[in-house]
Every structure is written in structure tokens, then in C-alpha cells.
Amino acid sequence: MTPSAADLIRVLPETIWCGFGVLLMLLQPFLKNRQGLTLFAMVGAAAGTLATYFGHMGSGFFGLIQFDTYSLFFHWLVGLVAFLVILASDSYLERENLASAEFYALILFATAGMGVLASAQELLTAFIGLEMSSISSYVLAGYRRDAVKSSESAVKYFLLGSFATAFFLYGIALVYGASGSTNLVQIASTDPSSNLLRLGLTLILVGLGFKVAAAPFQVWTPDVYEGAPTPVTALFAAGPKAATFALLLRIFTTIHAATDFWFWAFWILAVATMFVGNLGALVQTNVKRMLAYSSIAHAGYTLVAFTAVTTMKLDPNTGAAPAYAAVLFYLLGYSLVKVGAFTIVSEIGGKGESYQTLDDFAGLGTRQPFAAAAMTLFLLSLLGMPITAGFFGKFYVFKAAINSKLIWLAVLMTINSTIGAYYYLRVIVVMYMREHKGDVPAGAATGLSPTAAMVVVVAALATVYLGLLPNHVLGIVLSQNLILSAR
Amino acid sequence: MVPTSYYLVLSAILFGLGVVAFVFKRNIITIFMAIELMLNAVNLAFVAFSQALGKSDGEVFVLFVIVVAAAEAAVGLGIIILTARNRRSLNVEHVDLLKL
Amino acid sequence: MPILENLWIIPLLPLLGSAINGLFGAKWSKPIVNSVALGSTGISFLCAVEAVREFLGYYETSHKAWVKPFFDWIVAGNFRAGFDLQLDHLTVVMLLVVTGVGFLIHIYSTGYMAHEEGYYRFFSYLNLFMFFMLILVLAANYVLLFVGWEGVGLCSYLLIGFYFLKKSAADAGKKAFIVNRIGDFGFMLGMFLLFRSFGSLDFQTVFEKAATWQPEAMGQFGTITVACILLFVGATGKSAQLPLYVWLPDAMEGPTPVSALIHAATMVTAGVYMVARSHVLFAHAPTAMYIVAIVGCATAFFAATIGLVQSDIKKVLAYSTVSQLGYMFLACGVRAYGAGIFHLMTHAFFKALLFLSAGSVIHAMGGEQDMWNMGGLSKKIKVTYWCMLFGTIAIAGFPPFAAFFSKDSILFSAYIYETNGKALYAVGLLAAILTSFYMFRLVWLTFRGEKRYDEHKVHVHESPLSMTGPLMILAFLSLTGGWFAAPAFWGGKDYFSEFLSPVFGAATEGGGEAAHSLELMLSGVAFAAATVGLVVAIWMYNKKVQRGTSAGVHKLLYNKYYVDELYAAVIVRPLMWLSTNVFWKVVDAGMIDGAVNGVADGAASVGDTLRHAQSGNTRSYAVWVVVGAMVLLGIVFWPILHPALFGGVR
Amino acid sequence: MELSGHLLSILIFFPAIGALALLCLKSEDEYWIRRLTFVVSVAEFLLSLILLRVVAIGAQGYALTEYKSWISSPPINYHLGVDGISMFLVILTTFLTPICVLASWKGVHHRIKEFHVMLLLLEVGIIGVFLALDLFVFFLFWEVMLIPMAFLIGIWGHGRRIYAAVKFFIYTMAGSAFMLVGILWLYNLTGTFDLPAIQLTLQSAAFHLAPRTEMLLFLSFFIAFAIKVPLFPLHTWLPDAHVEAPTAGSIILAGVLLKMGTYGMIRFCLPLFPEASHRAAPYVAVLAIIGIIYGALVALVQPNLKKLVAYSSVSHLGFVVLGIFTFHTISMQGAVYQMLAHGISTGALFFLVGMLYDRRHTFEISEYGGLVKPMPQYAAFFLFVALSSMGLPMLNGFVGEYLILLGTYQVHWGWASWAATGVILSACYLLWAYQRVFFGDVTHDENRGLSDIDAREKWGLVVFAVITLWMGLGSPYFTRRVAAPVDWVIEQTKSKYAEEAVKPAAPSQPAALATTIQQDSPTRTVSR
Amino acid sequence: MSAVLVIFFLLAGLAVFGAVALILQSHPIHSALSLILVMVSLAGLYLLMGAEFVAAVQIIVYGGAVMVLFIFVIMLLNAGVEERTNISKMATFGGVPLAFALGLIIAAGIARSSSQLAPAAAQGTLTSTRELSKLLFSEFVYPFELTSFLILVAILGAIVLAQREN
């Protein structure tokens, strides 16, 4: 019983990410040049992502992982996010005078963890993946060691994250007890009336709900996002969240019992999350924190699509395939936009992240037209305006909800979009329609650094591309047998 | 023979006490201990199920959990040291700069 | 038939004149402006005369009205309103009156307005008015008539507000327009109903179809009755009848030639013209007829009472106009359309004369209009005095002047009208007495008695020939205008009614020897009434008089029954208050915006509350996680805890 | 014509190309920015005039359709088409855009490049809305148009511009979000976003739409449109937006944007949901009538000139909605005509008010008075435009209102009677405002030296005046081209609706008059 | 009651006692010692079930390594008696009862649904360490290898976080 070569190639991306992480640490003493490290890390991120090209579809490692279009999609997603975040961190690390090698290594390890999550077909493997990304994240959150906020962010993330992990793990234990296995495919064949299974799946939902910041498990999100170094926040908002959703969706589509149990749970989580996120964001004056709340709201929108997925089995004719597609498309668009937006916040923040309030954004339209325009594009995408990725994302989510006859959910989402419009618009308004009070402080950034600008351009182009020509990506997310483990 | 449910109920009680401890304790280190307590409860459940099902993979999981717990401990204690350095206090209730 | 084929020339000429003066007149000298304005009106008058001649020839052979469509103006679905002009005998009368009197007043204005600023503007407006008035009388359908109808209202607005620096003038113009709009509201609804009933608004089609309908009974509010009443609402606005007469006295703020042309001779008679034009409809609606008669009669009396005590020379004439218009409606209401139109024509002559004479007086007095500040002018401005006197005799109804015949004819028709005719007659007669009184009062206060002005300040002088010339022509017309009908008085034919008979039919013929003797008797009564008025006026004012203090009935009359105040208090102010304090401040700002902003504020306050859950305390956060776990357990286990409910929850 | 295959796309995207070209200019290059924008917008206008030749009179259905598949799943196609109704609205848009450039020649001083880019992008969005035949594409343009408009208000507006911009944006967003739900629901039912295809599906006998579903769908569209119109009581964004918007913004907003709502009603609400439309019509009509009267009354007491014009739009658009929801060919043609006429006359009014603002930087009526003295030509033009706005015959405002009322009267005399009071009130508020601004003595010394209109303003106004007159006299030019599409819409609205729709709403009439007003044939006598 | 059951209850009682003590002790050192008590009791229970290897790892890694680390850190930071602050009223008054309730619900749920399971160690066979290692290096080799990176991450993280400023 040794894994085949094909299996090894199926995990090549993770291997490459981890390998580059190790190499980064090894090279650190020799490569004093920060840009060199950045480039090396980017190469690693890219290489890992591209390595998916060699993988063969199918399950590997005795059914622990499943390499399918779905996992491919999420590998690309997290790889791309890692690539962009590394690129965006370059100037940040220089400004904040932080060590690069460890930072990049941690990002790569976290990415590897996310990759595991995306392809895991077995709960324990998923758990290990989750922990890899989480533990890296804890460290990354506290990476600005001398900043009180950063360490506080790390503490909160660590304590609450571990707390939630314990729930997740306990859920795994119970599911294992009920079905005698932790493999999703085998769990799927368990008698769905088992209460132990029900209890276990619920606790798993608590753990994963925490990771994706679904209300009322969202409490940690604003604090952690605000305190963490901004590029790390970008990573948090995009990568782990998408990867956790990936796992959740795989559990969903594989274990039909789960969809039965979880329908109302998701309905309520979705509604609560949308409202908490949007209403919370409404009253924020710190842009970074506002975006944190906004990411809660977007988790809520994603959960709407999830709720639509749950009806798949209940009514096979509604066609849940578009609902998966909605989740995938939404997450892609959302992640890229969040990376772009946080990158701009990171750059505007200046040394010590001192300028992140709305007042600091005032008059940005004249001071930094490019940054302001890009930020506007990202905000409009988050808002769901046409010709941006966010519009199609929201459009597909709506469509999934309506296809599943979840009219009320769609209506509530509509209301939330409108609330959301208000606070996104406020940032735009401040940037373009208000003048900066007093002189612009000397420490504030005068323009985006070239690396950050590159990230912003890539994210903006991707946003518009997905908003104008979504066909290609749609072709992927709508492909037959997207999720091989799904029955 | 001890019925498996006894072990499981014990595990649930320990898990519940872990949750209580997490909520109740103020010292970050003891809160972290509460997490360890919860993980121990999980381990107990794994072993009990493993025995009841007559499969050994449950015990393998326990090994993984222990490893993960150790890794978490390393990082967690690092974070705690960092916080203690920054704040000169281990009371979790005083870690409230980020809020609202 | 060059003109008849191209009837549009008649209205277009004044329009061109207006446009030319309006666009370029500012830079031109007065003679050029004059020649454009007078030229266009004069040629238009000549064209009208030629058109009438051609029409009469045409009628000889065809025995029908001349209708000529020019272009489609509004087309939608089965609705078509064309720019169609029509000429028949009724139009002929109106056309000649409008162009003729209009031309005279243009001439007069060159003298009267000689020293005014915006001279070109005045003539531009005046020509524009001619254009619209001609459209009104030439229109072959209600919609085009409405164009003229609204257009003359506009010109009235512009001309009343000519002295726009004076607030009262601007106010008066606005008031005129708005009150007219209220009438137009009725007119429009009337048109809609006609279209709904007959599928067209062309006069010919409507009248032909209406003629096939069975007449409605008295007291019945059938379709035609309702339509007629609605049309009449329009007429009350335009022709200043109760209850919409309020704008006309105020309209005297305009230059006097305007008062003469628009507010006496032509525009205000448009309502009468329209009712007469629609006589086929009215004939089917006796209820509407009766209402017209009552309103006309009441207005005649009501306005006359107010006229008794006014001190402004033009105001007296204004109320007199309202009163005389009442007579015309009375005539229409008692089926004496011919008499009504006849009175319309004579009224155009003598009222224009009176106004222009008054203008001459005002001109002489350097702008003074208060009769209490005049007196004894007869020696200084003789021509004006005699013209004014002629006009007064004419309006008072002394033979052989114009109004004697026309008013007499109306009163006679009222007397023999089957429904309460005698009461209508009685009120009309009373109004005749009052008319005679207030007119002679005016003459006596102005021209006779002692002078009550300071000769050092006011240099009284006779007006130039450009002003007195038209006066004399009009005086002549006032004297002779009634003679068309005179033969009827002596038992012969009423030429005027006969002329109009192709339009109205022979319905107005009294017929019979008994009727004739009755008519003679009634004429005697009317003459007596006029004399009573004359005598009382002379008795009261042929001495040294002073402006009296108002009290009692006098005060009520002097203040015009407080109708303006009443309207202000009952309609205008409540509406303004409602709009400001309820609609705008409460409904808009308070309720709707309040709700909108309230939702926004509510969301913000909920958000604010929610953020307090975000206390920053990790322990609390853990509690939220626990709460979430409990909730999820509750939801997931709900079907097990309540199996009975499962299946129904979805 | 070689172009005609892509004429519609060219019409939509030509201004976008212009905007791109503008971006290449330096921001300081004020001279060329203005001229380039003007040239582009005039060229666009001339291009749009081609439509007049291409769209045949009396032809039903769409001309010049363009169809390209865009997104495979769900099937979203780039489907454009034009008919008599949309043609004129497009031309109105292209006409008003150069006017906007002229209007902001002096009023806009900062960020000139961005301003003109926004203006052109706005044009792109609006024309797209009018030409789109795919619900998705329609929605896309509908939303896209929001952003430049909000920017125009928010950046180049006056005092409370930000409040106004946000209010405008949120109001419209709220409405359109529901429309998106409706569009998707409709897609879910019919499997397509293509308007003609949806219509075919909905009309097929096999297809049954539950009344409740149809009503909800209708409402989801209608509310979005009603906000845009704006229909009472959803109108409160309008006065704020207008008062704070720069002149160009106001012109476009009142001239075209509001028509997007009424256009949407004609194009989507009625043909797609005939039965719901009929059921909703009484309520809609009552709201429209309330809007007419209410808007006029509130306009009457506004101390702010621009707000007054804004409220007058509420009143005028009430007529349009009323005309649409009587399902009568006369009134609906009138409604379409009125959309155009209102675009011209209100556009001109805002143009005029903007000139005043350029000179005195205030909209308060009390700050003016006696202006006819220093600015006689301006006063004359203002009067002319005001008269057209209050519906003086032979000017453009009359025909629309008259046809709407006439048509409405044929169906519901009560509605028409109430609505006709708006005619009185419009005279009241406009004349009163005119009097306070222009007549009397000059009460403020600053006003004594105001300069009269210059050549640029004069020519703009002359163009407006000529069109006003032309529309007023030659209305058949418009109604003939509009008649066929309107009849088609009415036919669609009837198709599945039973005969009882034709029956006038007799029960709503008072008993005394109810017996008298009916008469299908004139020979029937009324007296009995 | 069989002897096994007596041992079970003894160990279970100790474990619960330890857990409660962890909560009630106010000095972190005492809490840590209580936790060690729990862990040792659990190791006993593992033995009782026949999971010797797990029991050994429990003692060595958990009780030995991890808890020593805890105590080391407590000493290093010189953590004193816990301040019983009540800034979060919600946690003290709402959270603790809720947490108890949650524990009870889970316990009740498990008790009701796990009765059909075979008794632990019913087979009476000890799980051989060989079997564990086989599983670990064949079926679970992938997560096993991943854990190595996990530990690497932990080491890296600890270094990053705890290193003094240069």
C-alpha cells in the first residue's frame, strides 16, 4: 500500500508550496535582497499553481484527496491570491521593516494548507490542511510584533480559532463514530437518520462556520482583520475563506444527509450573516474595518448560494449545478476584489498603518487618481455594479436562489445589497467628493508602490474581465462532473 | 465491560467543561489550557469510537490531534509571550484595543 | 377666390408683424414699428373684408360654410385636430369686429403709447393677440379654437403685465391667466366629453352628429348637457362671468388700449362666441341653457351693482363690461343667439369707445384714473367728452343708439322665454337701470361739476388726432351700429338676425303681431329704465360732490362684495398653507423622506447596536460562538424534537 | 447603408470612444476638452438622426436589430433593437448631451476632464438602456448609467451634493435590485433573457402565469421604474438631486433619465405582464394623479427655483404615467410625446436656471426680482419655455398633455378630470415664480448689473425654442412614428386579457353622471 | 460492578475533578497541574480500552512535552494569580451557564444516540502498535507527511513571534 506516482503528482502543488517555503527559510541567510526573496516566493506560488497542470483527475492517497476540476479551481484561486499577496507585501514589509523570508514562507505554507482543504475528501486530512493554514495565519496576524494591535489580533484569532477547531474536531469524532470512517464518500453511505451523525455534522458546521465568518461566529473577523498587517488581511479575506467554503461545499455535495440537516441552518446563517455584516459596516469609519465587515456580508451572500445548493437533493429538477457555479464564481470574483482593495488600503495606510480612516481617504480622487479609480472599481464590484466581477457573482447567486425558489432569501439579499451600497458609496464619495481636511500628513503615501500597483492592475483587470467576459470561467465552474466525489 | 457511551459521555462532559473553562477563565494561558482540555475530550471520543468500531484508524487520528495540539501549543505560547511583552498583562479581558 | 382659398393669410399677417417687431423692433424707431404693426393689422382687415366678400359670393351658390383644412396639427389614434379654418356668417361678424376694432385700437395706441418704454414690445404683443383672436374666430374645430382661446389669454397676460415693474400689474396678469386656466379646465373636459361622444372635435362633425341626438329634457343632466356646462365653465372664465369674473377688473392694470381691445371688444366676448358657435349642442341641452341664462343674468346685475360705487374710471367700465357680457350670455341662454351676437358687436363699438375715451381722459390727466380727482373736464377736452357721452348714451340704451336695439332685443327674448323668463327679464331690467346710473355717474363725475384736481400739477390737454380719430369713428359706429336691427323694431325685418340665420336658423324670430306690440311695450319700459338711471345720476352728481366715506352697503359694494378676499381666504390661502405646511413640510420632508431617512437611520442604529456586541472582549466572543452552536443545534435537531412539525416547515 | 448593421452599437459606444479620447488629453487642456466633447456629442447627435430615416413609419417590431451571443450560461445575448419609441428617446438623449456641454461651459471649473468623461459615459448608459432588448443587457446599462450620474451630482454639484448623490444612488439601487430579482425570476420561468422571446413564451397558450406571481413580477419591475419616474410617493430623491446637481446633470436627469422609468413601463411592464398591469392600473393611475396635483402644489410654494422645476417634473411625469396606464392609444401616444416634450422644455428650463446660477450662484427666488430689466432677452426665453412647460397650445407641452387627458377621458373620465387640474396648477406655479423672478423692481443691487445672455447661451436657447415650436406645431411627425409601436404595446397588453378590460370603469362614477356618459353610438339617446 | 467499571469511574472522576479544578484554580500553575491530572487520567482510560500506544503518547507528548512547555511559559512570564475581572458580564453571567448547557446537550445527545454502539474494547484485543504504524505510513501517509510541515510551521511561527527585536 504505497501511494502511486500519480498520487504524488496530484499533491504536487502543495508539495511545491511547502518546498518553496522551506527553501525560503534556507535561502534567507544568503539572499539579503528583499526583492529577490519576493520574486522567489512569487515563483513558488506560481509554480505551485501551475503544477496543477500535471495532475490527473481522480482520487488519490487512498481516497483522502480528490483531484477534480473543483479542487483545480480552488488551487488556482488560492495560488493566485498567494501570488498577489506576496507581490503586494513587498513594499509593505519594506515600509514596516519586517523580515520577508518567514513571511513569504508562512504565506506559502498557508496556501499549501488551503490547497489541502480544497482537495481533501477526508475529514482528518481536511483538518490538517485547516490547521496548516490556520496556524500560519495566527503567526501572520501577529507578524508586526511590536504593534499592539497586531499581537492582539493574533491572540484573538488564535484563541477563538483553536476554540472553533475543537468543535470541528469533536464533530469529526462524532461523525467517525456514527459512520466508522472519516472519508466523505463513506460517510455519505451512512444511515442519515443517525443522531450521532447529525450532531457531528452540526459541530463541524460550527467549526467551519467560524472559519468562514458566518454570523454569529463572525465576531472575531473585524478585530482580527483590522489588527493584522493589511496584506495578511487581504490573504485572510480571500484565501482561507475560499478554501473553507471549498471544503464546506464538498461536504455538502457529497453527504446528502448534510444538506438535509443544514437547509434551515444555512438559511438562517445566511440571513444573519448578511445583516450583521452590512449593518456593522454601515457604522464604521475605518476603511479596513469596514472592509472586514463587508467580507462578513459577502460570506452571507455566498451562504445564500449554499442554501440554494441544499435544495439540490430535495428537488432534483432545480438543477443545483448553477448553484455550485454561483459559489465558485462568486468566491473568485470576491477574492480578487478583496485582495485589490486591501492592497490599496495597505498602501494608503502609510507607515504603521496610521491612515486608514475615511478622513484619510478624503480627496484621494485628486491626490492619487489611479488608486482612487481602482478602489472605486473594487468597491463597485463589491457593491455589485455591472461590468465588474461582483455583478456577475451576485447575479449568479441571485439566480441560484431564485432557481431554488428561495424568493425570500433573494429579497433579503436585495435589501442587503442596498444597505451595502450605502457604505461602499460612502468611501467613493469621500474619495471624490470631499477634500482632505487640513494638510496631508507627511507620512502618508503619495502613490502606490510599483509592486502594489501591479497587484491592483491585475486585480482590476481580472474584475473587469470577469464582469465582461465571464464565459471562460463559467465554462470551468459549469463543467460536468465538477466535483467528482459528489453523487 | 464499560459501555462505550460511558466514555463518550465522559468525553462530552470534559468537552463541555473545556468550553466552560474557555468562557470562564481570564488568563490567556489557562484559556489555552481549556482548549487543550477540549482536544483531550476529542481524543477520548476518538479512542472510544475506535475501540467500539474495532478499527484502529481512530487511534491514528488521536496521534494527529496530539501533534496538532503540540504545534498549536508552540505557536500559541509564542503568541502569548508576544502579548505579554506588549501589554504586561495576561488578562484576556484587557486585550480589547480592537473593538466595535 | 384668392383670400378664401388662403384664409391663413388673415391671422398670419399679424403674427408676422408680431414676430418682426418682437425680434427687431427694439432697435427700430417708432415709425417703423408703427408701420409694421399697423400695416399688418390693416392689411389683415382688408383681407378679411375681401374674404367676407368672397365668402358671401360662395355662399350664394353653395349654401354652406367654407371650411378649409391646411395641415394636421395633432394626430393620434382616431383623433385628429387639424389646422382647419372655417368661415361662416357668425365668423364674418366676429372677423370684421376683431379686425376692424382691432385696427382702430392699433391706431389709437400709437398715440397713447407714444411715450412708453417698450413701445415695440407693446405692438408685438398686440399683433400677437390679433393673431390668436383671429385663430379663435376662424377655427373649424374646438382644438384650434382652444389654441386661440389660450393664446389670447397669454397675450392678455402679457399686456396686462405690460407695466411689469408695478407689482399690481404683474399680479393682475397672473390672476387673469390663472382664472382663465380654471375656465379652460372646464373647456378641456368639455372637449374630451364631446370627443368621447362624437369621436371628433370638428365643428361640422360634432354638430351634425349632435343634431341626430334627441334633445334632452329640462332638468336632465345628460351627456350633452354636461358637455355644454363644461364648455360654459370655460366661457365663464374667458368672458368673466360669475364666479370667475374676478380677473377682469384687475386686468385694468394694463394700458388702456389693451383694456379696450382685449377686455372689452374682443377677447372677453370669446366665451359668448363659443357658446353661440356651439348652439346646436346647447339647443339639445335646455338645462345648460337655463344655467347660462341664470349665470348671465346674475352677472349682469351683480357686476352692475359693483360698478355703482367704483371710483376708478376704468374699473367702472370693467364692471360694466362684465355686466354687459352677462347680457350676452342671457341672450344665448334664452336662445336669442342673434341678439347676443348683435349685442356683442354693438358692445364692441361702444365699449371700445368708452375705454378709449377713458384712455384719452387718463392721457389728458397725466395718468390719473380716480374720478374723484377729476371733474369739469368737459370744457377742456371737448372731443373726448362728446365721444364719451355718445358711448354712455349708447350703453345706457337710449334710442337710437346701438345698445337700445340690442339690449332691447335681449330683454324681449328673455321676457318671452318659457322658463322663468319674466324673472330673468326683471333682473335684466334692473341691471339696465343700474347701467344707466353708473355710466352717467361716470360722465358727471369726470366731465361735469367742479374740478377736483390741482391745475398747477396737471396740465389737461386734448389728445392727438391719432387718438381722437378712432374715437370719432367708434362714436359713429356706436350711433349707427344698432340700425341693422332697427327695422325689426318698427315691425320690419331684423337684418342682423337674418344675416346670421344660416348659422342659427330662424329660431330667434319672435313672430306675431302680439309679440311685436309686446316688444314695443318692453322697449318703452327699457327706455324708462334708462331714463331713471340718468335722472338719479344727475340728481346725485350734478352738484359739488366729495368722496364719501364708505359704510354699509356702499362699503360692501365698494369692496366688490369682498369676493377676492373670499377667494383668497377660502381657496388660495388654504391651498398655499396646505402645500407648504402639509404636503411639502410634512408629507415630503416629514413622512416620505422621514421614512426613507428613518430606514437609513434605523439601519445605522441597528448597526450601532450590533457593533456593541463587538466589545473587543474575547470571552464575549466565545459566548457568541457558544450561542451560535446552540442555535445550530436547535435548528438541526428541531425536526427530531418536533417530528410532527417536520415537513410543514419548509 | 454599410453602417446600419452596427449602427446601434456605434450609437452606444461612440461616446465611450470619445471619453477614451478625452482621457488622452491633459486635464489642464480645458479648451480642447470642451471642444472635443462638444464635437463628439454633436457627431453622435447627427449619427442618431440616421435613425429617423431607417425606422419606417408604421412598422411594428424592431428595426436594426443586433444579436450576438455573449454569455453562454445563462444564455445572455447582446441584443439591440430600435423602434419608434426608443428612437426618439435616443435622439432626445443625443440632442441634450451637446446642450449639456454648452450649459457647463462656464459653470464647471474644476476637474473638467472628468466631468466631460462622465457626461459621455452617462450618454453611453442611457442610450444602451433605450436600445437593449435583452433584459440582462438592459439591466446592465440601467445600472451603469447610475455611476456617472451620481458622480456628476456628487462632484460638481452644489451645497448638499453628497447627500443628494447618495440619495439618488441608493433610491435607484433599491429599486433596481428588486428588478434584478424580477428579471431572474422571469428567466427562471421562461429560460431566456431575450425580451421578444420572453414575450412569445408568456403569450403562448400553454404558458400559464399565476396571477400572484405575475403581480409580484410586475411590481418588481414597476417599483424600479416608478422610482426613476418618479411616481409619488417615491419622488423625494428628485428635488434633492436636481437642486444639488450641476446644470448639465439636471438637464440630463430631467430630460432623459426620468424617461427611462416611463420607457421601462411601456417596454417591459405592460407587454410582459398585461393582466397585472390592468389590475394595478387603478392604483397606479391614482398615484399618478396624486403626483400631478401634489407635485404642482408643492412646486407652487418652493422658495427655490430649481426645486420648483424639479417638482414640476414630478407633476409632468405623473401625466405620462397616467397616459401609459390607461391603455388607450391616444393617451399612450400622448405619453410618449410628452416624454419628449418634457425632455425639451424641462431641459431648457434647467438650462435657463443654470444660467442664472452661473451669474448669481443662488437658486433662491427671493434673491431675484425685476430681472426683466437687466436681462430682457433672458426673460423672454424664460417666458417662452415656461409657457411651453405649462402647456400653451402650439408649443410642445400642450400636445402631450392634451392627448393624455383626451385618451384618459375616453376610458376614465374621473381620472382625466382630476389630472386636468394639473393644467391649472402648472400655470399657477410657473407664472408666480416668473413674476417673482422677473417682474417688479430690482430688489437686490447685485442683480442690477447682470449681463444678458451671451452668444453661446443664445444659440442654445434658440435651438430649444425652434424645437419647442416645431414640436408644438408638427406633432404628427412624432405621433405617426410612435403610433405603430404604441398600438403594438396596447395589443400586447390586451392579448391575454379578456374583453372585460375594454369596459369602462362604470362603478367608479357617481351615480348621477354614470347613466349619462356611455354612448357607443351617437344615435342612442340618453334621455329616458 | 466489575472492577473495570470501578477503575473507569475512578479515572473518570479524577478527570472530571481535574477539569473542574482547572476552572476553579486561580493560579495558572495550579490550573496546569489540574490539566496534567486530566491527561494522566485519560491515559489511564486509554489503557483501559487497550490503546496502549496512544496512552504512552498521551503521557509523553501531552503530559510531558506540551504541559512542560505551558509551565515553562507560566514561569517565564511570571504569571500571577488570575484577576477575576468581569468586564464581560455576558461571559460570566450568560456564557458560563450557556456553556454548561451546551456541554449537557452534547452529552445528552451522545448518551441517547450511542447506546447501540458496541462497548469499547469489546473485542478485547489490544490495538497493536504495528497496526497503527501500518495505517500511519500507508493509508494516512499524506496527512502524516503534512503534519511534518505543520510542525515546521509551528517552529517557524514560534521563532517569528518570540524572537527579540534585532
Side-chain angles (χ1 to χ4, degrees), chain C residues 72-73 75 79 164-165 171 174 181 185 191-192 196 213-214 221 223 576 579-580 583-584 588 592-593, chain D residues 167 233 235-236 294 301 311 372 390 409-410 417 423 432 435 440 472-473 475-476 479-480 516 519 522 525:
Chain C
D72 285 350
W73 176 39
V75 178
F79 174 75
F164 47 72
L165 295 181
D171 275 340
K174 185 188 68 187
R181 268 280 163 126
F185 165 75
M191 279 193 278
F192 300 154
R196 180 173 167 152
W213 287 32
Q214 195 177 323
F221 286 88
T223 305
M576 300 288 269
S579 306
T580 314
F583 290 156
W584 180 29
D588 239 48
I592 301 174
D593 256 7
Chain D
K167 198 171 177 182
H235 63 277
T236 56
Y294 179 93
V301 294
Y311 273 108
V372 68
M390 74 178 83
Y409 197 95
Q410 311 308 310
S417 309
V423 176
W432 194 35
Q435 179 190 352
L473 286 173
S475 69
T479 46
R480 283 212 184 94
T516 66
Q519 280 80 46
T525 54

Side-chain angles (χ1 to χ4, degrees), chain D residues 130-394:
Chain D
F130 288 137
L131 294 181
L133 285 187
D134 186 282
L135 285 178
F136 185 90
V137 178
F138 169 79
F139 183 79
L140 195 136
F141 282 118
W142 177 272
E143 292 273 279
V144 160
M145 161 282 322
L146 263 182
I147 300 161
M149 191 68 229
F151 270 110
L152 281 181
I153 299 172
I155 298 182
W156 293 277
H158 315 305
R160 296 207 309 158
R161 62 204 152 91
I162 292 175
Y163 171 75
V166 172
K167 198 171 177 182
F168 164 76
F169 194 91
I170 302 284
Y171 245 110
T172 317
M173 261 296 282
S176 53
F178 283 104
M179 181 160 70
L180 181 60
V181 174
I183 288 174
L184 283 165
W185 196 352
L186 204 56
Y187 166 75
N188 196 32
L189 293 171
T190 59
T192 175
F193 287 109
D194 197 72
L195 179 66
I198 290 175
Q199 261 166 282
L200 277 181
T201 314
L202 289 182
Q203 280 161 14
S204 65
F207 195 88
H208 179 71
L209 202 55
R212 186 166 161 273
T213 313
E214 195 196 0
M215 184 50 98
L216 286 174
L217 280 170
F218 169 82
L219 283 178
S220 70
F221 280 82
F222 181 77
I223 288 172
F225 297 144
I227 287 175
K228 203 78 178 194
V229 168
L231 191 65
F232 179 89
L234 302 170
H235 63 277
T236 56
W237 64 270
L238 183 76
D240 287 320
H242 269 315
V243 171
E244 307 306 339
T247 304
S250 294
I251 292 175
I252 284 282
L253 189 59
V256 197
L257 245 66
L258 308 189
K259 278 71 185 184
M260 285 168 46
T262 44
Y263 170 79
M265 290 178 191
I266 294 179
R267 179 69 84 228
F268 300 103
C269 280
L270 262 55
L272 292 182
F273 318 112
E275 288 172 51
S277 300
H278 276 278
R279 278 194 291 149
Y283 305 97
V284 176
V286 166
L287 286 180
I289 291 166
I290 291 175
I292 292 170
I293 298 172
Y294 179 93
L297 283 178
V298 178
L300 191 63
V301 294
Q302 288 307 314
N304 181 313
L305 192 56
K306 214 170 175 190
K307 218 167 190 169
L308 186 146
V309 183
Y311 273 108
S312 85
S313 289
V314 175
S315 182
H316 282 126
L317 269 292
F319 276 105
V320 179
V321 175
L322 181 66
I324 292 169
F325 276 86
T326 43
F327 314 107
H328 193 283
T329 178
I330 293 179
S331 61
M332 207 181 290
Q333 286 184 36
V336 175
Y337 181 90
Q338 171 82 345
M339 279 153 75
L340 306 173
H342 178 259
I344 296 292
S345 57
T346 307
L349 269 181
F350 278 119
F351 190 31
L352 284 160
V353 174
M355 291 175 195
L356 217 48
Y357 187 86
D358 289 348
R359 288 166 171 74
R360 277 283 273 112
H361 297 285
T362 178
F363 293 126
E364 292 301 313
I365 294 176
S366 58
E367 286 289 316
Y368 298 106
L371 287 193
V372 68
K373 208 78 179 156
M375 313 172 70
Q377 293 189 39
Y378 177 81
F381 277 112
F382 200 108
L383 182 65
F384 186 82
V385 174
L387 290 172
S388 88
S389 179
M390 74 178 83
L392 195 81
M394 312 209 85

